Amino acid sequence: MSRDFGREKRLLTPRQFKAVFDSPSGKLPGRNVLLLVRENDLPHPRIGLVIGKKSVKLSVERNRIKRQLRETFRHHQMDLAGWDIVVIARKGLADLDNPELAKQFAKLWRRLSHTPSQPQGEPNPAKASHA
């Protein structure tokens, strides 16, 4: 898998975002950020960013955060295959400088890469055991 960041690695349509929002497989809270994740059937991860004016006031700050996020995602995407990820910014995210942002997201990507992904077709063993 290449480290590019083409259209196939982004959540683009409202329908794709809605799928993650409606039924996330997991939530990873971080400092000033929340990641909603959902398994996809693709050999690569996809990411969507939700950075609103309410949580990050200045457009230059929103754009800086998006650039940093995309860059850390690009470097860690090999470990994140099979996930759709929506990053939701919270207040205070703009107060972090670039190295701190990169460090925080690298930590979140590592946590997500250690989260077991379950293929859609397999039943959950915990649910099947008491049947």
Side-chain angles (χ1 to χ4, degrees):
M1 182 187 336
S2 69
R3 283 197 171 172
D4 66 341
F5 188 66
R7 288 180 65 84
E8 74 279 354
K9 298 199 179 143
R10 301 179 201 167
L11 295 175
L12 296 170
T13 64
R15 183 184 212 175
Q16 292 170 337
F17 276 88
K18 187 172 174 21
V20 178
F21 278 117
D22 288 350
S23 58
S25 304
K27 297 177 182 181
L28 280 91
R31 205 171 96 214
N32 311 105
V33 71
L34 174 67
L35 267 59
L36 298 177
V37 297
R38 181 173 194 247
E39 289 103 351
N40 66 25
D41 294 327
L42 303 171
H44 55 80
R46 296 187 301 182
I47 189 169
L49 308 176
V50 179
I51 302 176
K53 286 183 188 177
K54 207 170 190 178
S55 53
V56 181
K57 299 276 187 244
L58 300 175
S59 62
V60 292
E61 291 296 324
R62 289 193 300 274
N63 293 332
R64 177 182 67 88
I65 290 166
K66 288 184 218 176
R67 278 194 306 273
Q68 289 298 314
L69 246 166
R70 286 191 295 257
E71 187 64 12
T72 62
F73 173 77
R74 199 174 67 76
H75 286 289
H76 291 87
Q77 66 185 332
M78 304 277 195
D79 305 325
L80 304 172
W83 292 106
D84 281 347
I85 306 161
V86 173
V87 179
I88 304 169
R90 293 182 174 159
K91 287 190 188 300
L93 193 61
D95 298 337
L96 303 177
D97 59 356
N98 288 351
E100 183 61 32
L101 271 174
K103 185 176 162 187
Q104 179 176 341
F105 281 104
K107 189 175 178 182
L108 287 167
W109 301 141
R110 270 195 307 280
R111 276 177 49 201
L112 179 57
S113 69
H114 295 309
T115 303
S117 168
Q118 184 165 326
Q120 299 285 338
E122 290 182 16
N124 188 340
K127 289 180 184 174
S129 64
H130 59 255

